Structure formats: structure tokens, C-alpha cells
């Protein structure tokens, strides 16, 4: 009500493969008011939080539905209706074998899960390079950093992922 900004930053893990629930902590922030609150959650039926939907998740829902378990997400209630039912089993089937362990963006050259000026700088600094790799800014994979790579970067500019596992 007084117009003060909250400390927006949040401590998230650096990698989607981090499965430790203690990584995101509260309170968090950098001690300065303002900033972006970037909080990431994975909304897939992955009961053991290994970032792969597989038979472990399926059997949790299947047996929960079979025995009429009333529960929560960890019991297989993936749709949040309070009971493990056929909808939960169907939901797991629709995501079966989805893996979020190696998500990356084509033009995120510095690995910060954002396509921004720092990625464009890498391409521009190496513009015209032959024998280039993706790390150099060759996003289209033709070995040359040229207008095609810049076009791809501009098409994805401003996109980003915020992830935590």
C-alpha cells in the first residue's frame, strides 16, 4: 500500500536435473527491493520428481486408481480432484516417456535459459567465422556464423525458461 517493492529474486537451482527440494529456499532474494520473481515449476505427472514420466509414475496412478486412493499428487492424484482415478492414469499415459532432463533453447548460447543481448553478442562477435560450433554462435549448424544465425536469434529474442526440479 505504500508503494514499496518486494525483494523479487528467488533462489532456484541452476539445472532442471536438480531434484533436491531444499534448493529453493525461503526467504530468498538479493536484499534489494525490486527484481524479477522467476519461479519455475514442472507440471507433469512425475511423482518421484526425476523429470521423466515413466512406469514409476504410471504404477503410482494405476494402483491408486485400482484401490480408490484418496490423496494428493504424491499418491497419484495428478489432476488435483482429491482422488486417484482413471483420469490420472490417462494423464500419465499422455505424458509417458516425456523427459525434461535435457531442455535447452536453440539460441541460448550462454546457458542462462534466456535469449537476450548476451547471446546476440556471441553471434555478432564471431560473425563471419567458418568452422564454427554452436558455442561460437552457429545456431543453424552449417559451420558458418552468418545472417541465418542472426535471423534465428532475432526470432527467439526475448524468450526464456524458468525451471526448477
Amino acid at each position: 500500500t505504500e508503494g514499496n517493492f518486494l525483494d523479487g529474486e528467488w533462489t532456484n537451482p541452476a539445472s532442471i536435473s536438480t531434484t533436491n527440494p531444499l534448493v529453493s529456499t525461503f526467504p530468498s532474494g538479493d536484499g534489494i527491493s525490486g527484481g524479477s520473481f522467476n519461479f519455475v515449476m514442472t507440471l507433469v505427472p512425475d511423482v518421484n520428481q526425476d523429470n521423466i514420466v515413466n512406469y514409476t509414475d504410471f504404477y503410482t496412478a494405476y494402483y491408486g486408481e485400482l484401490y480408490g486412493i484418496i490423496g494428493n499428487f504424491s499418491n497419484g492424484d495428478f489432476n488435483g480432484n482429491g482422488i486417484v482415478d482413471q483420469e490420472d492414469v490417462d494423464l500419465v499415459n499422455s505424458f509417458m516417456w516425456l523427459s525434461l532432463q535435457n531442455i535447452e533453447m536453440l539460441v541460448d548460447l550462454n546457458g542462462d535459459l534466456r535469449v537476450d543481448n548476451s547471446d546476440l553478442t556471441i553471434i555478432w562477435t564471431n560473425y563471419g567465422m567458418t568452422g564454427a560450433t554452436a558455442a561460437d554462435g552457429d545456431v543453424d549448424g552449417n559451420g558458418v556464423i552468418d545472417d541465418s544465425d542472426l535471423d534465428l536469434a532475432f526470432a527467439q529474442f526475448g524468450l526464456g525458461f524458468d525451471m526448477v526440479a
Side-chain angles (χ1 to χ4, degrees), residues 3-151:
N4 296 325
F5 290 99
L6 297 174
D7 187 2
E9 288 79 16
W10 187 263
T11 304
N12 271 335
S15 169
I16 184 94
S17 61
T18 302
T19 58
N20 183 342
L22 302 176
V23 172
S24 292
T25 59
F26 182 81
S28 189
D30 62 1
I32 302 170
S33 64
S36 298
F37 182 79
N38 295 320
F39 186 82
V40 182
M41 63 183 106
T42 303
L43 298 176
V44 294
D46 179 23
V47 75
N48 62 349
Q49 300 177 10
D50 64 354
N51 292 314
I52 300 174
V53 179
N54 56 24
Y55 286 120
T56 300
D57 310 300
F58 172 80
Y59 286 122
T60 300
Y62 176 77
Y63 287 117
E65 190 269 335
L66 185 66
Y67 295 108
I69 300 293
I70 296 173
N72 55 27
F73 187 89
S74 63
N75 296 60
D77 178 23
F78 300 126
N79 65 5
N81 67 355
I83 186 167
V84 182
D85 55 19
Q86 186 61 46
E87 288 181 28
D88 299 304
V89 175
D90 293 342
L91 190 60
V92 174
N93 278 329
S94 68
F95 284 96
M96 188 61 88
W97 302 118
L98 172 69
S99 175
L100 299 177
Q101 289 187 334
N102 295 307
I103 290 181
E104 60 185 50
M105 295 177 65
L106 179 64
V107 188
D108 176 27
L109 302 174
N110 63 355
D112 67 354
L113 301 176
R114 304 233 173 278
V115 179
D116 54 20
N117 286 331
S118 59
D119 301 299
L120 288 176
T121 300
I122 292 170
I123 295 172
W124 187 249
T125 300
N126 295 318
Y127 190 87
M129 177 188 284
T130 58
T133 66
D136 298 319
D138 178 27
V139 248
D140 64 4
N142 68 356
V144 178
I145 300 176
D146 55 17
D147 288 343
S148 174
D149 301 301
L150 281 174
D151 288 343

